[in-house]
Amino acid sequence: ATSATLTLASVTPADEGAYSVTITNAVDSVTTTAAALTVEVTQQAQTITFDALPDVLFSANPITLTATSTSGLTVGFEVVSGEAEVSGNQLTLLGTGSVTVRASQAGNASWLAATPVDRTFTVGASFSSWLVDNFTPEQIANSTLTGPNADFDRDGYRNLVEYALGLDPKVASRTGLPEVTRTTTDWTFTYTRPAARTDVTYIVQSSTNLTTWT
């Protein structure tokens, strides 16, 4: 700067330091005593926007978390409670039940820490969570053993049917299977429909010739 005044716009901590003026003519030059510049930063408040998380059925697919702060700084996530873990913004479910996730931002030299925001949602039971409850990861990875159309215990009932009826997929047993009984005037068909099975549809069919079903 060569004018009589030096103006610094939008001063930041990086502008702190010692400032001096050097005066030069044809004969010589001289430098003034340095003047110290100290920048005092007033941290601003910031808030986090983290929308509510909907209830979901258990799945091995991770959930992408999204949150923003008014500072523009990156928001971090952590699992406060429940069967889940988070890496970056990817939430992986480990079981069923209630899960609480916290979004936070620690701030920096210019921004105060934001008030954390917690979101709670429920992970419902599904065929995938049933697999986790009954089989090892190695068995689950083998769809010929644990796929919905596979028959792990070789009792003639596919895994999806055993799931839908609340049966033990690793024990070949007739306990809990649908039953047909007769009254004086009617046939009665009875089967178990667990209340937690919300990801399957039950349709009762009948046939007089095992070819045409209604």
Side-chain angles (χ1 to χ4, degrees):
T2 56
S3 59
T5 59
L6 172 62
T7 301
L8 301 177
S10 303
V11 177
T12 69
D15 294 316
E16 285 191 339
Y19 288 77
S20 60
V21 178
T22 299
I23 303 149
T24 303
N25 64 11
V27 178
D28 201 355
S29 65
V30 63
T31 300
T32 66
T33 301
L37 172 65
T38 300
V39 178
E40 295 183 359
V41 177
T42 301
Q43 291 176 300
Q44 301 180 63
Q46 61 170 322
T47 57
I48 292 174
T49 299
F50 185 23
D51 293 337
L53 298 173
D55 295 340
V56 297
L57 294 179
F58 179 89
S59 172
N61 298 323
I63 298 172
T64 300
L65 303 173
T66 303
T68 59
S69 66
T70 53
S71 67
L73 299 174
T74 301
V75 177
F77 301 97
E78 64 178 306
V79 176
V80 177
S81 63
E83 295 294 316
E85 62 183 13
V86 66
S87 176
N89 69 336
Q90 297 297 300
L91 179 71
T92 300
L93 303 177
L94 302 176
T96 59
S98 178
V99 174
T100 299
V101 180
R102 174 170 295 165
S104 59
Q105 215 306 307
N108 59 18
S110 301
W111 297 89
L112 296 169
T115 300
V117 179
D118 290 354
R119 297 299 184 196
T120 301
F121 65 101
T122 299
V123 181
S126 67
F127 181 72
S128 296
S129 65
W130 180 78
L131 291 178
V132 172
D133 292 339
N134 288 281
F135 299 102
T136 66
E138 292 75 19
Q139 291 170 332
I140 294 174
N142 187 348
S143 61
T144 62
L145 292 177
T146 57
N149 292 318
D151 182 5
F152 186 89
D153 54 13
R154 300 185 182 279
D155 60 358
Y157 293 90
R158 297 178 179 181
N159 292 328
L160 183 59
V161 174
E162 302 224 25
Y163 164 70
L165 297 178
L167 306 178
D168 188 335
K170 294 188 290 187
V171 177
S173 171
R174 300 194 63 80
T175 302
L177 292 176
E179 296 180 346
V180 176
T181 56
R182 186 179 65 179
T183 66
T184 304
T185 57
D186 299 294
W187 292 96
T188 301
F189 180 69
T190 304
Y191 68 99
T192 299
R193 179 175 178 173
R197 306 295 192 257
T198 61
D199 58 334
V200 290
T201 301
Y202 296 77
I203 300 175
V204 177
Q205 296 179 315
S206 63
S207 174
T208 58
N209 56 18
L210 299 183
T211 300
T212 304
W213 294 83
T214 60

